[in-house]
Amino acid sequence: MAGPVLTGESIEQETKLRDTLSKIKHVIIVISGKGGVGKSTVSSNLAMSLAMKGYQTGLMDIDITGPNIPKMFGIEDEQLMANEKRQLVPIIVPPALKIMSMAFLLPNKDVPVMWRGPVKMSAVQQFIEDVNWGDLDYLVIDMPPGTGDEALSIVQLIPKADGMVVVTTPQDVALLDSRKSVGFAAETKIPIIGIIENMSGFVCPHCGEITNIFKSGGGEATAKEMNIQFLGRVPIEPSVVDSGDAGMPVVLKYPDSASAKAFNEIIDKVIKTVE
């Protein structure tokens, strides 16, 4: 049986994709089985941690219908520009973090994105091919929750991604969905870098006492059971919410907080695993 016929357009797309990926050393995909577990908060802090350590880093927000990354960096009103090659130029956040999000392409932040699967997949492809990422040490990809069209598109476009980081909270329903993320990684043959247990205990800002609102330890137990690296726990702190709403990741605004220290320990494990 004859293979697919390659048109001039498809060859050009394949060339652009290959050229873009050749300049990116490592790709980390941040995934969660369900929404509401703080995946975008984790993605933004991991990416910023990498940039603060001196790595040339990109952060791609492909949560097409709920792009929150620009808000977390205070850049939701920025306008994208194109270079002489008609490539989109990512928004740069100091020290050296390049960010691309669907939010930059919407006429205003209240406009809902009501796209079917094929259109979403095309948008994801353009986020890689038609964006001037330049030379990167790391590209962190903030996925939408679940294992739908966008997730499948990314693993098809970047089959040699270094691995996935699974974000969960300690309660049983989140852990159940996190197992599906692990299964998704296995099916797509992308390694799991590890599991992060987010919202693992509330740290009282007055006395420092920890209250396990959503239980604690479930992520670590799941990682051990599934023979996956446990990357660490990130507590619930008012500083995380405050910094996110203020448009500055907690690792940058409150570097001495328990959450910032947890993120830095986690990214050290990620770097060690990847490199």
Side-chain angles (χ1 to χ4, degrees):
M1 181 182 293
V5 177
L6 293 177
T7 64
E9 183 179 2
S10 63
I11 292 173
E12 182 183 0
Q13 288 177 333
E14 180 69 25
T15 301
K16 286 197 294 184
L17 179 62
R18 188 170 58 248
D19 289 346
T20 298
L21 294 178
S22 69
K23 298 177 182 178
I24 301 172
K25 292 180 182 177
H26 303 295
V27 177
I28 299 170
I29 299 172
V30 182
I31 190 170
S32 67
K34 67 187 295 295
V37 299
K39 176 181 49 56
S40 293
T41 297
V42 170
S43 297
S44 59
N45 279 282
L46 294 184
M48 179 55 78
S49 294
L50 285 165
M52 291 170 68
K53 289 178 183 294
Y55 294 100
Q56 293 297 313
T57 309
L59 176 57
M60 183 165 67
D61 177 11
I62 63 162
D63 193 344
I64 303 295
T65 57
N68 297 319
I69 291 294
K71 171 66 178 174
M72 294 180 174
F73 287 90
I75 54 173
E76 62 266 42
D77 295 325
E78 294 286 343
Q79 299 292 318
L80 290 175
M81 305 291 288
N83 61 14
E84 65 280 359
K85 297 181 180 179
R86 299 172 65 185
Q87 293 176 306
L88 293 172
V89 179
I91 304 300
I92 298 180
V93 173
L97 179 59
K98 298 177 180 178
I99 298 178
M100 182 63 190
S101 171
M102 182 67 205
F104 298 138
L105 303 176
L106 300 177
N108 70 70
K109 59 186 176 183
D110 296 323
V111 174
V113 179
M114 298 183 291
W115 292 352
R116 295 190 182 276
V119 182
K120 288 182 181 181
M121 293 170 70
S122 177
V124 171
Q125 186 167 352
Q126 285 186 300
F127 272 22
I128 302 175
E129 291 178 359
D130 296 331
V131 174
N132 182 28
W133 290 106
D135 294 316
L136 293 180
D137 296 309
Y138 285 91
L139 175 63
V140 178
I141 301 178
D142 182 38
M143 298 281 250
T147 54
D149 292 318
E150 297 96 320
L152 287 169
S153 296
I154 280 294
V155 298
Q156 288 170 357
L157 289 168
I158 313 178
K160 293 186 179 180
D162 291 81
M164 293 185 182
V165 171
V166 179
V167 181
T168 186
T169 50
Q171 66 265 49
D172 291 343
V173 66
L175 292 168
L176 178 65
D177 288 329
S178 71
R179 291 171 177 271
K180 296 175 183 176
S181 297
V182 174
F184 174 78
E187 288 290 330
T188 55
K189 295 180 173 56
I190 292 181
I192 291 285
I193 295 173
I195 292 179
I196 296 173
E197 182 177 298
N198 195 30
M199 306 184 197
S200 182
F202 169 70
V203 181
C204 177
H206 304 293
C207 67
E209 182 180 349
I210 298 175
T211 303
N212 293 320
I213 299 174
F214 299 129
K215 300 182 180 180
S216 180
E220 184 173 8
T222 298
K224 186 176 181 180
E225 182 183 338
M226 304 189 78
N227 197 29
I228 294 168
Q229 178 177 208
F230 180 64
L231 293 170
R233 296 184 182 89
V234 181
I236 303 173
E237 286 187 294
S239 59
V240 176
V241 179
D242 174 58
S243 61
D245 287 347
M248 189 180 296
V250 71
V251 293
L252 186 61
K253 189 169 186 181
Y254 299 110
D256 294 325
S257 66
S259 297
K261 291 177 181 177
F263 279 123
N264 279 307
E265 290 174 4
I266 287 169
I267 203 62
D268 285 342
K269 289 182 181 178
V270 171
I271 293 169
K272 184 177 180 180
T273 302
V274 169
E275 296 191 354

